[in-house]
Amino acid sequence: RKEVEQDPGPFNVPEGATVAFNCTYSNSASQSFFWYRQDCRKEPKLLMSVYSSGNEDGRFTAQLNRASQYISLLIRDSKLSDSATYLCVVNPYNAGKSTFGDGTTLTVKP
Amino acid sequence: GAVVSQHPSWVICKSGTSVKIECRSLDFQATTMFWYRQFPKQSLMLMATSNEGSKATYEQGVEKDKFLINHASLTLSTLTVTSAHPEDSSFYICSAHPRLAGVYEQYFGPGTRLTVT
């Protein structure tokens, strides 16, 4: 079993749709959690950090459930520019080596 | 946000030659940097953890004599691919943790696309 597992993709949604991604992690001692986005042939860029009960940034909401060991990312009112691969990242301790999920690909269509 | 640069952004080299890739944290110090490799349509694969002033820690299956890592300062880590072969062609990305209390995110360099002919 992988340490970090993400929803298999791809997700193809129309503009304006709401889409949610889930990610589960196996190490219960994990301390910090992030969502990154990666565009084709580019480096990953930090989208959101998820530290405790979750947080919201505009159309994006990230939630953390420590008891069930999963984090989620909700994107509301999808835009064409949201098309990318979304990576779930988990750190076993706060400044240590991260474990990446395989990513979920989102395509937002007109 | 924190800025990480990589140089070169792309390189083409012949089989058997060595290629050095630099990773710099431009506006922060990083005691730890990470080197990843990504093949097309695949996920990031951690190759090694670069620690300033000490030896790098390599992931299982990564040859330390082939992928030489040097982290000589708090703002620079280098990855040298020695005796490169076509199967080493990949997208190499570095990342760094800012050395600041309460900052746990990694910031990635723009990547180096290596093609070995």
Side-chain angles (χ1 to χ4, degrees), chain B residues 47-117:
Chain B
M47 299 175 67
T49 302
S50 172
N51 304 296
E52 186 266 333
S54 64
K55 289 183 179 179
T57 306
Y58 290 81
E59 295 300 300
Q60 194 172 11
V62 178
E63 299 174 58
K64 59 181 69 175
D65 293 331
K66 180 168 180 64
F67 298 99
L68 301 178
I69 291 172
N70 186 289
H71 193 155
S73 78
L74 286 170
T75 59
L76 173 64
S77 175
T78 60
L79 168 69
T80 301
V81 183
T82 62
S83 187
H85 288 101
E87 57 265 30
D88 297 325
S89 299
S90 187
F91 190 41
Y92 292 85
I93 312 175
C94 71
S95 72
H97 272 299
R99 193 186 182 198
L100 296 171
V103 178
Y104 307 123
E105 304 89 47
Q106 288 184 50
Y107 292 91
F108 287 84
T112 297
R113 202 161 294 281
L114 170 64
T115 301
V116 184
T117 61

Side-chain angles (χ1 to χ4, degrees), chain A residues 20-93:
Chain A
F21 305 139
N22 288 325
C23 168
T24 58
Y25 59 94
S26 59
N27 186 345
S28 58
S30 298
Q31 294 292 321
S32 51
F33 311 87
F34 309 93
W35 285 102
Y36 283 75
R37 71 171 276 169
Q38 185 175 24
D39 293 290
C40 188
R41 299 174 70 86
K42 299 281 189 181
E43 78 278 18
K45 293 197 173 172
L46 179 66
L47 179 66
M48 300 182 76
S49 303
V50 189
Y51 284 117
S52 54
S53 57
N55 53 315
E56 184 174 316
D57 182 5
R59 299 181 293 109
F60 299 83
T61 301
Q63 296 281 342
L64 166 64
N65 185 319
R66 285 189 184 269
S68 300
Q69 295 180 204
Y70 80 82
I71 68 174
S72 63
L73 177 68
L74 182 77
I75 304 175
R76 289 181 297 276
D77 188 23
S78 301
K79 311 288 184 193
L80 296 176
S81 57
D82 294 333
S83 298
T85 296
Y86 290 83
L87 301 168
C88 171
V89 180
V90 175
N91 279 16
Y93 54 97

